[in-house]
Amino acid sequence: MTPKKKHPAFSTRAIHVGQEPDPLTGAVSVPIYPTSTYVQQEIGKNKGYEYARVSNPTRDRLEENLASLEGGIGAKVFASGMAAINAIATMFKAGDHVVCGHNLYGGTPRLFNQVLATFGMEFSYVDTADVKNVERAIRKNTRMVFVETPTNPLMALSDLRAIGKVCRGRKVQLVVDNTFMSPYFQRPISLGADMVVHSTTKFLNGHSDGLGGVVVCTSNEQVEKLAFLQKAAGAILSPFECWLILRGVKTLAVRMEQHDRNGRAVAGFLANHKKVRAVFYPGLLDHPQHELAKTQMTGFGSMITFETGSLSNANKMLRKVRVCSLAESLGGVETLISHPATMTHAAVGPEGRKKIGITDGMVRISVGIEDVDDIIADLDQALSAV
Ligand SMILES: Cc1ncc(COP(=O)(O)O)c(C=O)c1O
C-alpha cells in the first residue's frame, strides 16, 4: 500500500522549507549571498534580483521558512524585533487607533508612545486577559489590536480565539507578538490572528548570536505592504543574520521540547522554595489561566517570573548566579536571568510598572537547555543569599 501523502510536520518543515539544497552546488546549508547589487542582462532584464535592500536570496529562503512554521502565506524579516513591530505600525497612518495589551515588552510602548504617537497615531492600553476590555476599547478609528501572550514578564494570557472573533466582527486586524512561545508551542494565525510578529533574536535563532524580527502575514496585501516598507525604510535583515536564523530554526523543535521540560522542572522547584513568594508560569496548576494555556498552547515554554520580595533580595540572588547569566534577552540555549524593573521594563517607569503589577522584587528567567539539575542547584545556592 502506498503511504498517504501528507503535509510535512513542523520539525520537517523547520529543516526543509526554504532550506532545500543549493541548485548550483548541492550545498545542504543555504548559501549566504553577501552582495549589495546584482548584474543585469539589459535594461529591465535581470534574474529577479536588483538591489539587496529590496531582495536577497538568503532572506527569501528565511521568509519562506518562517511563513511555513507560523502557518502564514508569506513573511518579511527585519533588522530586529522592534524594526518588525515598527514596520507593522507604519502599515497604518496618522489618526488610526491601536488597542494594545497593557503588559507588552517595554520597547513596544516606548516606540508607540514616544515615536509613533508624535506622528498622530493613537494608542490605548488595556488588560487583554479580559476580552471585554478589548471590545470596550475599540473605536471607529481602531485598525489594530496588538497583544503579547503570555505577557512579559507577568506571564498573563489573552484568549486569542475570543479576541480574534471580536476583531473579525469589526474589521480590525489582530496582531500577536509570539516571541515567548515560538510557533512550536503556539500558532496565533490558526487561532484567529491576522499577523504574527517575533523577535527572532529569541527562540527562533536560539543561540543569542544575532538580532532579527519577522512579520508573518495572512494576505498578499500585507506581504506587499511590508515588502514596500522593507524597500522604503530599509530596516532589512542582513544575509548573515538570515543564515543564523535558518541554521538555528533547524533545531527549534528539539530545543523547545527541552526548554519546556526544563521550564516545568524549574517552575516546580521555585514554587516549592521558601524564599520565593510567587511564581508566574502558565504550566503551574495554580496559574489563573492554566486551562486557557492548555487550549491555545501545546507546551508551556521556559519563561518564568518569580517574586523575591524586594530590589535588595533580587540583587542579592542575581549577584550569586553562576550557571544562569544575568543578562537582558531570552530564548537562547543558555539560561538567562534578568530584572524586569531595571532592564526590560525600565522605560515603562515606576508608575507604569505599579499599574500593571511589575515589582522591584521580580526576577525573570529564560530557562535554557543545560542539565536541569545544574540550573536548579545554581538557583538554590543563589537564593540562599536572600
Ligand atoms: C516579546 C518581545 N517582543 C519584541 C522584542 C524586541 O525585539 P528585539 O530586541 O529583537 O528588537 C522583545 C525583546 O526583548 C521581546 O521580548
Side-chain angles (χ1 to χ4, degrees):
M1 203 170 85
T2 340
K4 260 198 191 150
K5 224 178 171 183
K6 68 176 179 80
H7 189 52
F10 187 95
S11 52
T12 308
R13 284 184 283 128
I15 295 167
H16 293 292
V17 175
Q19 311 239 34
E20 296 83 3
D22 174 38
L24 190 65
T25 63
V28 294
S29 171
V30 173
I32 304 169
Y33 285 88
T35 188
S36 57
T37 192
Y38 307 84
V39 73
Q40 309 198 18
Q41 287 71 58
E42 61 182 44
I43 295 174
K45 192 169 172 201
N46 56 59
K47 295 184 175 172
Y49 296 95
E50 293 163 39
Y51 189 62
R53 179 163 21 83
V54 182
S55 54
N56 175 282
T58 318
R59 199 165 94 207
D60 287 352
R61 299 282 207 105
L62 176 63
E63 291 174 343
E64 194 188 335
N65 179 281
L66 297 180
S68 166
L69 296 186
E70 275 291 0
I73 63 136
K76 290 285 151 197
V77 293
F78 295 87
S80 67
M82 287 318 305
I85 293 169
N86 187 54
I88 292 174
T90 50
M91 292 167 84
F92 301 93
K93 59 181 193 317
D96 287 346
H97 173 246
V98 181
V99 176
C100 311
H102 72 160
N103 172 213
L104 301 174
Y105 163 65
T108 304
R110 177 174 55 203
L111 169 72
F112 289 170
N113 301 339
Q114 295 183 42
V115 182
L116 297 168
T118 66
F119 290 92
M121 283 187 74
E122 295 166 21
F123 299 91
S124 309
Y125 296 87
V126 299
D127 182 357
T128 53
D130 184 348
V131 65
K132 288 200 189 77
N133 293 333
V134 177
E135 216 162 358
R136 275 195 287 267
I138 290 178
R139 308 177 192 155
K140 263 203 174 122
N141 60 338
T142 304
R143 300 286 171 264
M144 165 166 74
V145 170
F146 187 98
V147 301
E148 247 173 64
T149 178
T151 60
N152 178 7
L154 294 167
M155 303 306 293
L157 270 59
S158 296
D159 184 337
L160 293 180
R161 285 187 186 89
I163 298 177
K165 215 177 264 173
V166 165
C167 288
R168 260 193 312 284
R170 289 162 179 77
K171 295 200 164 48
V172 170
Q173 302 218 29
L174 172 60
V175 178
V176 178
D177 183 333
N178 199 26
T179 300
F180 268 31
M181 281 296 111
S182 91
Y184 187 69
F185 283 140
Q186 179 170 267
R187 285 192 280 285
I189 289 171
S190 71
L191 302 168
D194 297 285
M195 281 185 274
V196 173
V197 62
H198 282 269
S199 165
T200 62
T201 315
K202 321 299 181 191
F203 290 101
L204 287 171
N205 173 307
H207 295 75
S208 307
D209 54 13
L211 286 187
V214 64
V215 185
V216 182
C217 306
T218 55
S219 75
N220 286 324
E221 194 191 342
Q222 293 163 348
V223 177
E224 279 159 25
K225 228 170 183 173
L226 287 165
F228 176 76
L229 285 164
Q230 281 185 325
K231 176 166 77 172
I236 45 106
L237 194 61
S238 83
F240 180 63
E241 319 280 331
C242 289
W243 180 82
L244 284 175
I245 302 164
L246 279 165
R247 187 187 57 165
V249 93
K250 286 183 182 180
T251 55
L252 183 66
V254 286
R255 281 190 286 109
M256 292 314 293
E257 287 289 343
Q258 192 60 38
H259 278 297
D260 186 64
R261 263 195 295 277
N262 285 2
R264 291 174 199 228
V266 169
F269 160 77
L270 290 169
N272 289 311
H273 199 286
K274 60 182 188 309
K275 301 271 178 73
V276 174
R277 301 170 190 212
V279 180
F280 304 82
Y281 180 67
L284 291 174
L285 293 177
D286 64 359
H287 185 285
Q289 294 156 304
H290 178 69
E291 289 307 316
L292 173 62
K294 288 199 293 188
T295 70
Q296 66 181 20
M297 289 144 56
T298 52
F300 301 114
S302 66
M303 297 305 300
I304 304 166
T305 297
F306 59 98
E307 178 57 68
T308 63
S310 66
L311 178 66
S312 147
N313 282 349
N315 204 25
K316 278 184 204 154
M317 87 151 290
L318 290 171
R319 269 202 298 257
K320 282 201 69 179
V321 288
R322 293 293 172 264
V323 175
C324 308
S325 302
L326 173 59
E328 303 248 9
S329 204
L330 60 110
V333 290
E334 52 289 287
T335 298
L336 299 177
I337 194 160
S338 67
H339 184 245
T342 57
M343 297 167 111
T344 49
H345 288 70
V348 178
E351 277 310 304
R353 289 195 296 276
K354 197 168 168 199
K355 237 194 229 162
I356 54 181
I358 300 175
T359 68
D360 287 351
M362 275 179 183
V363 169
R364 189 194 77 183
I365 181 164
S366 164
V367 181
I369 62 171
E370 301 96 335
D371 187 294
V372 74
D373 292 339
D374 292 332
I375 302 170
I376 288 175
D378 190 42
L379 290 170
D380 202 27
Q381 66 78 27
L383 280 165
S384 69
V386 172

